[in-house]
């Protein structure tokens, strides 16, 4: 018998916690502290929601994506041997899950069969890489400095690198891509598909400053040891027909099924308010949790890993808990703001 998603998460070591308590809830689109339950109704069937039609479209965790051929090679190894190890390629996406992550259910169709891909191991590895960044400056470049302006006489790869460096200056969320920093910047990292030997930008770029869109940028280049995620994926065929595949997904993927007749009025009130809200609205509660919301979160598997509200110093999110309600499938997010 196929194992449930919750039992799989127990084996892969999702961070655990505890939640209890009581209060009333409302709909809100604001920025209040507390708990927000956000449902997203699925446009596709449950099986199609988690089937990757084009796995090579999954982007690497880099500012310049890996080449498609690299991803095809990894996929070929995965199906030839049953597993593959890839650096910075989240074929199975790690969804935010409180202070940690949990793997998103992921299925591929190949050679007439349906296959489940799981993350067997994740670890950090070190790589020696060239880093290229630009820093906006209001100062006039010093005498003797080389200043480049558009159109840039560079190869297509170097033009992409320069454009990615410009984009990084205004990136709204640093996250993983900002590590390591170069003088506080978020650099472009040269990876396996970006040969430094073929680039004019490293180790010595042909210019010291760049004029771009009316601004002046200082160029920064360094070689450093960086820490990046390495994941080992495994694949297993789970069905040989579409009907069998849909049955497997509906049996193993959902975190919860909410039958309104099986739950209290408090639970129904939370779910009705959440799913009937206008786009952009949120079901919001101030702590402590009401009985209704606490029950919903426990059923979604979030309650096991939710810490007390006062223990969070920064906002956290639990993403993509899967549940049905009134015959429809939803992805539920819980957003917690201190």
């Amino acid at each position: 018998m196929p194992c449930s998603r919750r039992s799989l998460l127990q084996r892969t070591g999702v961070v655990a916690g505890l939640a209890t308590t009581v209060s009333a809830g409302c709909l809100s689109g604001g920025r209040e502290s507390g708990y927000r339950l956000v449902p997203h109704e699925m446009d596709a069937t449950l099986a199609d929601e988690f089937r990757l039609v084009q796995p090579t479209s999954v982007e690497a965790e880099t500012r310049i994506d890996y080449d498609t051929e690299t991803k095809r090679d990894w996929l070929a190894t995965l199906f030839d041997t049953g597993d593959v190890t890839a650096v910075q390629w989240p074929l199975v996406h790690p969804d935010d899950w409180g202070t940690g992550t949990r793997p998103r259910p992921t299925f591929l169709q190949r050679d007439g069969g349906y296959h489940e891909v799981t993350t067997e191991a994740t670890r950090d590895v070190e790589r020696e890489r060239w880093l290229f960044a630009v820093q906006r400056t209001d100062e006039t470049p010093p005498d003797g400095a080389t200043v480049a302006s558009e159109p840039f006489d560079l190869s297509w790869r170097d033009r992409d690198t320069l454009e990615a460096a410009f984009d990084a200056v205004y990136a709204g969320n640093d996250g993983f891509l900002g590590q390591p920093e170069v003088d506080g910047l978020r650099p472009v990292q040269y990876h396996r598909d970006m040969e430094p030997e073929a680039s004019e930008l490293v180790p010595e770029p042909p210019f010291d400053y760049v004029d771009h869109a009316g601004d002046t940028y200082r160029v920064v280049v360094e070689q450093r040891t960086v820490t990046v995620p390495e994941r080992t994926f495994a694949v297993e065929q789970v069905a040989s027909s579409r009907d069998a595949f849909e049955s497997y997904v509906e049996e193993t993927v959902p975190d919860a099924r909410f039958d309104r007749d099986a739950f209290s009025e408090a639970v129904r009130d939370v779910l009705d308010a959440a799913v009937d809200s206008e786009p952009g609205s949120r079901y919001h509660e101030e702590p402590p949790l009401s009985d209704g919301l606490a029950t919903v979160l426990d059923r979604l598997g979030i309650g096991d890993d939710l810490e007390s509200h006062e223990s969070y110093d920064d906002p956290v999110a639990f993403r993509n808990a899967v549940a049905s309600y009134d015959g429809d499938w939803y992805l539920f997010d819980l957003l917690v703001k201190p």
Side-chain angles (χ1 to χ4, degrees):
M1 174 179 290
C3 63
S4 69
R5 190 179 182 199
R6 181 168 296 182
S7 65
L8 173 64
L9 292 173
Q10 290 171 344
R11 292 205 305 271
T12 54
V14 176
V15 178
L18 178 65
T20 52
T21 64
V22 180
S23 185
C26 62
L27 288 175
S28 172
R31 298 180 177 272
E32 302 94 337
S33 64
Y35 304 99
R36 292 170 185 77
L37 184 65
V38 186
H40 308 277
E41 188 171 0
M42 294 185 192
D43 295 328
T45 66
L46 188 63
D48 287 333
E49 180 72 28
F50 298 104
R51 181 172 65 93
L52 273 179
V53 178
Q54 292 290 343
T56 56
S57 67
V58 176
E59 295 186 354
E61 297 160 316
T62 60
R63 297 199 184 279
I64 301 291
D65 197 9
Y66 288 148
D67 294 343
T68 299
E69 192 57 38
T70 294
K71 301 174 189 178
R72 286 175 179 161
D73 289 344
W74 277 331
L75 287 168
T77 300
L78 177 65
F79 281 97
D80 287 345
T81 67
D83 61 69
V84 68
T85 298
V87 174
Q88 288 180 281
W89 191 45
L91 178 61
V92 176
H93 190 274
D95 284 327
D96 293 334
W97 196 255
T99 55
T101 62
R102 74 169 186 173
R104 182 178 301 174
T106 303
F107 300 91
L108 303 177
Q109 184 178 2
R110 190 178 178 99
D111 298 332
Y114 294 87
H115 307 260
E116 183 171 16
V117 185
T118 55
T119 304
E120 295 296 292
T122 301
R123 69 188 186 110
D124 290 332
V125 296
E126 292 186 344
R127 293 289 186 269
E128 189 77 12
R129 288 180 174 173
W130 281 102
L131 311 177
F132 178 88
V134 295
Q135 181 180 40
R136 187 178 178 277
T137 179
D138 294 326
E139 298 180 358
T140 302
D143 293 341
T146 302
V147 182
S149 59
E150 300 178 275
F152 302 111
D153 185 20
L154 297 168
S155 67
W156 68 270
R157 177 68 91 183
D158 282 351
R159 287 197 301 270
D160 285 351
T161 301
L162 184 58
E163 192 62 41
F166 289 138
D167 291 342
V169 172
Y170 300 101
N173 181 10
D174 190 354
F176 171 77
L177 295 181
Q179 301 297 329
E181 290 191 346
V182 178
D183 298 333
L185 304 179
R186 296 182 287 271
V188 178
Q189 299 183 10
Y190 280 69
H191 52 67
R192 56 176 293 156
D193 291 335
M194 296 175 64
E195 298 179 3
E197 298 80 4
S199 173
E200 294 185 64
L201 299 180
V202 297
E204 295 183 5
F207 40 76
D208 306 303
Y209 291 82
V210 180
D211 284 337
H212 175 68
D215 293 318
T216 300
Y217 299 83
R218 182 175 67 91
V219 174
V220 181
V221 175
E222 283 195 15
Q223 188 175 29
R224 290 193 181 182
T225 300
V226 301
T227 302
V228 294
E230 177 187 83
R231 302 178 181 92
T232 298
F233 303 113
V235 68
E236 179 182 4
Q237 182 167 333
V238 295
S240 57
S241 69
R242 173 72 188 194
D243 288 345
F245 172 53
E246 290 183 349
S247 296
Y248 178 86
V249 171
E250 292 195 13
E251 183 178 354
T252 62
V253 166
D255 295 291
R257 290 176 171 83
F258 293 105
D259 181 350
R260 60 182 307 115
D261 295 333
F263 290 92
S264 67
E265 183 178 357
V267 171
R268 294 196 299 270
D269 286 347
V270 170
L271 292 171
D272 286 341
V275 302
D276 292 339
S277 63
E278 293 295 324
S281 296
R282 307 288 189 271
Y283 177 86
H284 172 255
E285 285 190 6
E286 293 288 348
L289 286 172
S290 69
D291 287 342
L293 182 56
T295 299
V296 170
L297 298 184
D298 284 344
R299 290 285 180 167
L300 292 174
I302 295 173
D304 291 339
D305 302 312
L306 184 66
E307 301 175 13
S308 62
H309 185 266
E310 61 270 17
S311 69
Y312 293 113
D313 295 324
D314 300 304
V316 299
F318 295 81
R319 302 282 186 187
N320 296 325
V322 181
S324 61
Y325 183 57
D326 266 0
D328 295 316
W329 287 106
Y330 295 89
L331 299 175
F332 284 91
D333 294 343
L334 177 71
L335 312 178
V336 184
K337 184 176 180 182

